Amino acid sequence: MTIAIAWTRTISGCEELIFVTDSRLSGDGRTFDACPKTMTLPRDDCAIAFAGFTGHAYPMMQQLSFAIDAHAPLKRGSLELPQVKSHALKIFDAMSAQIRSSDRLSSPVETNPEAEFLFGGYSWIKKRFELWHLHYSAGDKRYKAEPAQWLCYLADINKTVIRKSKQPADKRLGLITFAGDQAGLARRKLLEKLNCGAPSQGTLDWEPFEVVRDMLRDQGHSETIGGPPQIVKVYQYMKSASLAVTWPNASTGQPHLQGRALLGYERTEKFVLDPDTLMTAAHRMREQP
């Protein structure tokens, strides 16, 4: 399973869309803490992350990437972001219909896909970020797209809350959505963090990342999450990029990209985030003996 959060961060009067997940695959009695769960796509204005059973989620995510790469209007961005989202839902529905039980006695009877996604990017028509939680509805037998909610400050109760976009608020901090079996805990921890002391009346920064970071550092965290956090950003100038994270910290750790520790001789052009100072810097390759 997973913890995944996507949100809009405001910096110097601009916005960027950030996806953060853990790096663990589990469920067969083993854990594997170097597994990519976030992905940039062949068109640079959007990105995707998954939660759930990797055997369902990763093929679906890859097939969406292949579909975008295979169709020029999708790839170059002339088809707008909601059209990409709609196409993703149709791809996921068609693939879900291919999941069947085998003839083995131990095979599960249930064939509904056990995968959910966070998908979003920058709309060149609406001039703003759009973000959705894509999840399977067993009752309707299809995938649905639920728009991200808003972190809002409400002056009458002096608290930051999560609300739907149509509900009134004194100040909107940013879009946010969650996925994974630990999503509820992350949501509670984020609100506790934002309401600790004086509630935030500004904008959303790296707080969701800090929640994921602290959950992964907690020695008592659920076995379903683990490994280093991984990050993908989408910028307002319609480019996306992954960031490396020095893990477990800048003094004793090493850069991890998409969950995997870089080898001593590897060099990356990606920026590297210090998980405590939340500052980024260019990667410096370690000297070899």
Side-chain angles (χ1 to χ4, degrees):
M1 298 298 285
T2 305
I3 176 57
I5 310 179
W7 75 97
T8 50
R9 176 189 181 226
T10 301
I11 176 173
S12 301
C14 298
E15 283 188 322
E16 53 190 23
L17 177 61
I18 304 179
F19 296 77
V20 170
T21 72
D22 71 310
S23 299
R24 173 168 290 184
L25 298 186
S26 61
D28 64 350
R30 296 172 290 184
T31 59
F32 189 10
D33 287 345
C35 304
K37 296 184 177 182
T38 55
M39 180 186 290
T40 57
L41 294 166
R43 57 184 284 162
D44 288 334
D45 61 353
C46 57
I48 192 168
F50 80 82
F53 174 47
T54 311
H56 294 165
Y58 206 76
M60 290 181 175
M61 197 164 69
Q62 285 283 12
Q63 290 289 10
L64 173 61
S65 180
F66 295 151
I68 292 172
D69 190 53
H71 187 58
L74 274 174
K75 187 174 182 179
R76 66 173 175 256
S78 57
L79 289 178
E80 229 273 297
L81 201 62
Q83 293 175 285
V84 183
K85 178 259 297 178
S86 296
H87 190 43
L89 293 174
K90 292 175 182 178
I91 290 173
F92 297 164
D93 285 345
M95 293 183 70
S96 298
Q98 300 298 312
I99 303 173
R100 303 182 179 91
S101 291
S102 70
D103 294 330
R104 296 178 182 177
L105 294 177
S106 59
S107 297
V109 176
E110 182 58 68
T111 59
N112 290 338
E114 300 175 21
E116 55 183 319
F117 306 88
L118 303 182
F119 171 74
Y122 190 76
S123 167
W124 59 269
I125 290 181
K126 297 178 182 177
K127 305 298 187 294
R128 66 170 186 258
F129 284 107
E130 293 190 290
L131 178 62
W132 297 272
H133 175 208
L134 311 183
H135 62 94
Y136 187 78
S137 170
D140 296 314
K141 293 294 181 181
R142 64 184 178 91
Y143 269 90
K144 292 185 175 182
E146 181 179 347
Q149 295 181 306
W150 284 89
L151 269 167
C152 302
Y153 172 72
L154 304 182
D156 58 339
I157 60 174
N158 193 30
K159 281 189 176 182
T160 298
V161 299
I162 298 177
R163 309 190 77 171
K164 294 182 179 179
S165 60
K166 294 182 180 180
Q167 294 176 302
D170 298 288
K171 174 68 177 180
R172 292 183 176 179
L173 281 65
L175 284 170
I176 192 162
T177 189
F178 303 80
D181 66 307
Q182 298 298 301
L185 177 60
R187 182 186 179 109
R188 292 194 299 273
K189 285 183 174 293
L190 178 62
L191 289 175
E192 289 172 1
K193 185 178 187 66
L194 293 173
N195 287 307
C196 180
S200 174
Q201 301 179 37
T203 55
L204 196 56
D205 195 6
W206 281 105
E207 292 91 350
F209 169 82
E210 294 178 90
V211 166
V212 174
R213 175 202 66 193
D214 294 345
M215 288 174 66
L216 294 174
R217 284 176 171 173
D218 183 353
Q219 295 298 314
H221 67 65
S222 169
E223 190 182 52
T224 61
I225 63 171
Q230 50 188 266
I231 304 171
V232 164
K233 283 188 179 184
V234 182
Y235 300 94
Q236 281 182 311
Y237 52 87
M238 300 175 69
K239 292 291 183 182
S240 58
S242 54
L243 271 66
V245 180
T246 305
W247 193 254
N249 54 60
S251 59
T252 64
Q254 59 193 105
H256 289 67
L257 182 61
Q258 304 294 109
R260 181 183 67 86
L262 297 182
L263 302 177
Y265 58 83
E266 284 188 285
R267 178 175 175 80
T268 177
E269 298 301 319
K270 306 290 187 180
F271 282 104
V272 181
L273 179 74
D274 182 318
D276 296 293
T277 67
L278 305 176
M279 301 295 290
T280 56
H283 176 227
R284 293 183 179 181
M285 185 170 60
R286 291 183 294 182
E287 293 184 2
Q288 296 298 301

